[in-house]
Amino acid sequence: MATNRPDAHRNFSAPLIEVQELNKVFHTAAGEARVLKNISLTISAGEFVSIIGRSGSGKSTLINMLTGIDHPTSGEVRIEGVSLHGMDEGQLAKWRGRTLGIVFQFFQLLPMLTLLENVLLPMDFCDFFPPEKREERALQLLDMVGLKDLAHRLPGAVSGGQQQCAAVARALANDAPIIMADEPTGNLDSASAEQVMSLFEDLVRQGKTILMVTHDRELARRANRTLLISDGELVHEAITHAFRGLPDEVLLQLSRSAVQETYEPGAWIAGVDGKMSDVLVVERGELLITEERGGRFNGDVLRVLPGQWVDLRWFVGGRGKSRRVRAGLDGGAWLLRLNGSLVDQLTPGHTLEPNPFSPGAGGRG
C-alpha cells in the first residue's frame, strides 16, 4: 500500500550537512530576483557531491550559503549540528577556518607569497597547529599534491593546474573535514583538470567530504551524487539520474510533477485508479518484475534499481502482458510516480536513455 513519506536520500547515516527550506532573494533596481527556492537536502560524511546547472541557475549562490560567505533570506544551513547563520562574523570566520576548506575557480592565492607561505596562512590565522609544526605540515601537503619541489616559488611562476593544486593543499591546511570547491577546474586545461579531480577522489577515499560546483557534466558524473539546480530549484536526484540527457527545464518540470510513494516489501504496484498509465522512477529500494503464466506466479525476472524507471503502459499489452510489478522483498520501494502522458508531452524529440522497462525495450524516442 502506498503511503506519504518525507524526502529520502541514498545515504541514511546522520547527515553532516543539513539544508532546510533555503531561499535567497536579491533586491535589484528591476525588482526582486529569487535565486534559490525552497532548497532542502542532506549530505553525509564521506560523500563526493557535484552541483550542476546552467549559468545563473543558483549553484554558486548555494555554495556561498553552505560556506557562510552569504546569508539566506530564509531557511537554515546546519553543518555538524551548527547553525551557520546563527553566528556573528567573527565566530563564523573561526568556525569556517577549522571546518571548511574552500577552493575557488580563480585559485585566490596571494601572489606575493610563495606556495608554502600560502598554505601556512590558514594555520597561522586559526592557530590550529603548534607554530613549530606548521611548516612541516605545509610541506607534507604540498608533497601530497606533487608540489614540494616548488614550495618556494611564487604562484605566477607555476602553471594554472599547479596553482589549483596548491589551493587544494591550502584548503587542507587545518585538516578540515569538508572541502567546498566552486568551479575548481573551470580555468584549467584537460590535463590539469584531471589532476585536480584525481586529487579530489583520493581525498574522498581518505574520508573527506567534497562538494563541487561544476559546469562540466562529465566531471560531475565522477562524484557519488549529482545535484541539479534549475531556475533556483533543486531537481530530484532520482529524476536527474533516470533521465540524463534531457534539458534542465524538462527535468525540473518532471521533478515538480512527481508524486512520492512508499511500498512495503513485496507489495504489488498498481496504476492510478487502476489505470496502468504512469511512469515509475525508483528512488530507493527496488522493483521486481514478476512473471505469471496460466494465472500462476512464475517468479521474478527483472529488477528495477534506484535511478531506473519503468513505464507501466508496457504491462497492458504486448510482451509485458503476463508480467506484474511489486516492491522489493527486502526493503520495499520508494518511488516517484509520473504521469505517462506528461512524460510524453515534455519529451518529444528527445531519446530517453535505453531502459528495458519501457515500450519497445530500447528507450522511448
Side-chain angles (χ1 to χ4, degrees), residues 114-290:
T114 65
L115 301 184
L116 175 62
E117 290 167 336
N118 270 280
V119 177
L120 284 169
L121 273 180
M123 289 184 271
D124 292 339
F125 177 76
C126 292
D127 198 24
F128 194 60
F129 287 93
E132 65 275 10
K133 297 288 187 181
R134 292 174 190 171
E135 183 169 331
E136 177 185 359
R137 174 168 175 77
L139 287 171
Q140 288 175 344
L141 291 170
L142 287 170
D143 188 33
M144 184 185 73
V145 299
L147 296 176
K148 185 176 182 180
D149 292 340
L150 304 178
H152 298 288
R153 291 194 184 182
L154 295 174
V158 300
S159 70
Q162 289 168 329
Q163 288 185 63
Q164 192 63 293
C165 286
V168 173
R170 181 185 59 187
L172 297 171
N174 288 329
D175 199 24
I178 304 168
I179 305 297
M180 295 196 183
D182 190 1
E183 294 282 8
T185 64
N187 288 310
L188 303 181
D189 57 54
S190 58
S192 297
E194 176 60 32
Q195 183 180 11
V196 171
M197 287 300 297
S198 295
L199 179 57
F200 281 174
E201 290 168 342
D202 286 342
L203 291 172
V204 170
R205 284 190 286 269
Q206 294 170 27
K208 300 293 184 185
T209 302
I210 295 181
L211 280 74
M212 177 185 69
V213 169
T214 181
H215 68 280
D216 189 323
R217 306 219 171 185
E218 287 304 312
L219 290 182
R221 290 189 182 193
R222 292 170 62 170
N224 304 126
R225 290 170 60 188
T226 298
L227 304 179
L228 170 63
I229 297 181
S230 179
D231 192 27
E233 296 182 50
L234 188 65
V235 176
H236 201 290
E237 289 178 62
I239 298 290
T240 301
H241 185 81
F243 301 112
R244 285 185 302 203
L246 291 181
D248 292 359
E249 60 271 17
V250 172
L251 293 171
L252 178 59
Q253 290 183 70
L254 291 174
S255 183
R256 286 172 174 171
S257 70
V259 177
Q260 294 182 305
E261 299 176 349
T262 300
Y263 288 85
E264 299 294 331
W268 296 102
I269 312 297
V272 175
D273 298 327
K275 297 178 181 179
M276 303 290 275
S277 60
D278 295 326
V279 172
L280 304 179
V281 179
V282 180
E283 179 187 5
R284 180 180 166 225
E286 65 178 2
L287 293 179
L288 301 175
I289 310 300
T290 67

Side-chain angles (χ1 to χ4, degrees), residues 237-246 251 254 258 269 277-289 302-315 325 334-344 347 350-365:
E237 289 178 62
I239 298 290
T240 301
H241 185 81
F243 301 112
R244 285 185 302 203
L246 291 181
L251 293 171
L254 291 174
I269 312 297
S277 60
D278 295 326
V279 172
L280 304 179
V281 179
V282 180
E283 179 187 5
R284 180 180 166 225
E286 65 178 2
L287 293 179
L288 301 175
I289 310 300
L302 292 170
R303 298 168 65 203
V304 190
L305 303 176
Q308 293 182 322
W309 57 278
V310 56
D311 191 329
L312 292 181
R313 291 171 291 184
W314 187 56
F315 296 87
V325 187
W334 282 254
L335 308 176
L336 300 174
R337 184 183 288 268
L338 302 170
N339 180 277
S341 296
L342 178 63
V343 174
D344 293 341
T347 60
H350 297 291
T351 300
L352 304 184
E353 288 201 351
N355 191 311
F357 317 111
S358 59
R364 302 186 308 106

